[in-house]
Amino acid sequence: MSLPKLIVILGPTACGKSGLGITLAQRYHGEVVSADSRQVYRGLDLGTGKVTAEEMAGVPHHLLDVVDPGEQYSVARFQSEAYAAIDGILARGNLPFLVGGTGLYVRSVTEGYVFHEAPPDPVLRARLEALPIEDLRQALTDAGVELDADCYHNRPRLVRLMEKHLNGEDPHAERELAPRYDVLTLGVSYPRETVCRRIDDRLVARLNAGMVEEVAGLRSAGVSDEFLEGLGLEYRHILRYLTGAIPDEAALIDELGRAIKRFAKRQVSWFKKDRDVHWLNMEADPAAEASQLIEAFLALS
């Protein structure tokens, strides 16, 4: 029996995944499932590039705004909720589109990771949580543990990986696979110079739209500085701007812009490991190119 069809759109930040996903979902009677580790949080809107209701253009979106800031959200929980969303879309006779830049979230669904989560060790976890995040990253790298781009600033995930490693578990024991879908993966990207320019333009636009005020509002609502710091990128750097560690807006734009570009480069490296990605020419007509691939894919039994 053939597996149900799933379209995936992935790629680095600022390359148009969300817009392309909406365009294609409109064309193929689809619904979008977000695969973004920060967009699951309510109130993290400008800083994550979350699509607005107007931008959705009537296309249903899933796994946006599902937890409050500060609540832990694991890849295993994402996979379970993504499966439920995708299966619901299929049951309605629509085509599911999994769209996002969090590589581990995407792979957990497309490859069908089977999770074997041992109970956490509270004593070991407390010791690991006291370590600087740079030390956690370096220790995992030295141990040969593969880190996706989003792990770099995700302290809970780094702590959990190190906890499993020190307990003699395989940090990627979930890599036992049980695929549930027949997947077509479309990649969006631009030449490095174009990506950098798009990042710069988007950053200024988001700051003008109130991204600093968004972070200040989260703090006023009781979201901890530790949580914001752990989110990395926009939230980390704006927090440091608000607390005076970054002296002015010019320095904020410079430091944050460089951090986002480094992150985009790590994302590209992660996604390029997947040989099954059809990389679209984003400087031509990506929607038309994607449509040809989708129609050929859907025609397969």
Side-chain angles (χ1 to χ4, degrees):
M1 182 180 296
S2 60
L3 297 174
K5 306 282 189 179
L6 171 66
I7 311 297
V8 173
I9 302 175
L10 53 73
T13 188
C15 287
K17 295 183 294 294
S18 298
L20 180 62
I22 291 167
T23 297
L24 294 173
Q26 289 176 314
R27 189 170 295 181
Y28 292 98
H29 211 268
E31 301 181 34
V32 171
V33 179
S34 170
D36 188 295
S37 62
R38 301 190 304 171
Q39 291 186 4
V40 297
Y41 290 104
R42 302 181 186 97
L44 274 64
D45 300 327
L46 287 170
T48 66
K50 194 181 296 176
V51 293
T52 65
E54 182 179 5
E55 290 168 338
M56 290 178 191
V59 173
H61 279 62
H62 306 269
L63 296 193
L64 299 175
D65 300 325
V66 296
V67 291
D68 290 325
E71 185 176 345
Q72 287 203 8
Y73 192 87
S74 68
V75 64
R77 177 174 173 182
F78 169 79
Q79 182 200 56
S80 174
E81 294 181 350
Y83 281 164
I86 292 167
D87 292 346
I89 294 167
L90 291 165
R92 289 187 287 277
N94 295 337
L95 183 62
F97 288 80
L98 183 66
V99 180
T102 300
L104 193 58
Y105 278 23
V106 171
R107 286 188 183 177
S108 74
V109 171
T110 59
E111 298 185 16
Y113 291 173
V114 178
F115 291 92
H116 303 286
E117 290 286 338
D121 180 335
V123 175
L124 177 58
R125 177 164 292 186
R127 180 163 64 85
L128 293 174
E129 287 178 344
L131 293 175
I133 195 168
E134 295 82 2
D135 291 358
L136 288 168
R137 281 198 297 260
Q138 189 60 55
L140 286 164
T141 300
D142 292 345
V145 178
E146 182 183 12
L147 303 178
D148 76 300
D150 296 270
C151 276
Y152 273 71
H153 299 298
N154 190 321
R155 173 178 285 277
R157 195 182 302 170
L158 291 170
V159 167
R160 184 61 177 145
L161 286 173
M162 179 54 73
E163 184 179 36
K164 292 170 73 175
H165 170 68
L166 293 176
N167 280 331
E169 303 173 53
D170 178 357
H172 295 305
E174 68 269 17
R175 299 303 169 86
E176 178 187 336
L177 307 179
R180 295 175 55 146
Y181 309 107
D182 185 11
V183 179
L184 171 68
T185 304
L186 307 175
V188 303
S189 190
Y190 288 91
R192 176 70 178 168
E193 305 76 29
T194 305
V195 173
C196 290
R197 184 177 69 250
R198 290 173 64 90
I199 287 170
D200 288 337
D201 292 345
R202 190 183 67 172
L203 175 55
V204 171
R206 289 182 179 177
L207 289 170
N208 289 338
M211 189 161 58
V212 171
E213 291 76 9
E214 174 175 290
V215 178
L218 290 166
R219 296 181 79 209
S220 297
V223 177
S224 72
D225 288 355
E226 181 181 15
F227 175 76
L228 293 170
E229 177 79 17
L231 290 170
L233 297 178
E234 295 86 355
Y235 295 94
R236 165 178 290 184
H237 285 78
I238 291 174
L239 171 65
R240 293 178 178 179
Y241 169 69
L242 291 171
T243 56
I246 295 177
D248 52 44
E249 187 172 292
L252 172 63
I253 292 172
D254 177 63
E255 293 185 28
L256 178 52
R258 286 189 283 113
I260 297 172
K261 290 165 191 171
R262 289 193 297 269
F263 173 69
K265 187 175 181 179
R266 290 196 297 269
Q267 284 183 302
V268 170
S269 297
W270 172 267
F271 291 128
K272 289 292 186 181
K273 295 175 183 177
D274 188 341
R275 296 181 180 178
D276 294 327
V277 177
H278 298 268
W279 291 98
L280 304 174
N281 182 355
M282 298 299 289
E283 297 182 305
D285 189 346
E289 184 182 358
S291 294
Q292 290 183 342
L293 292 165
I294 290 171
E295 287 164 15
F297 174 67
L298 295 178
L300 297 173
S301 59

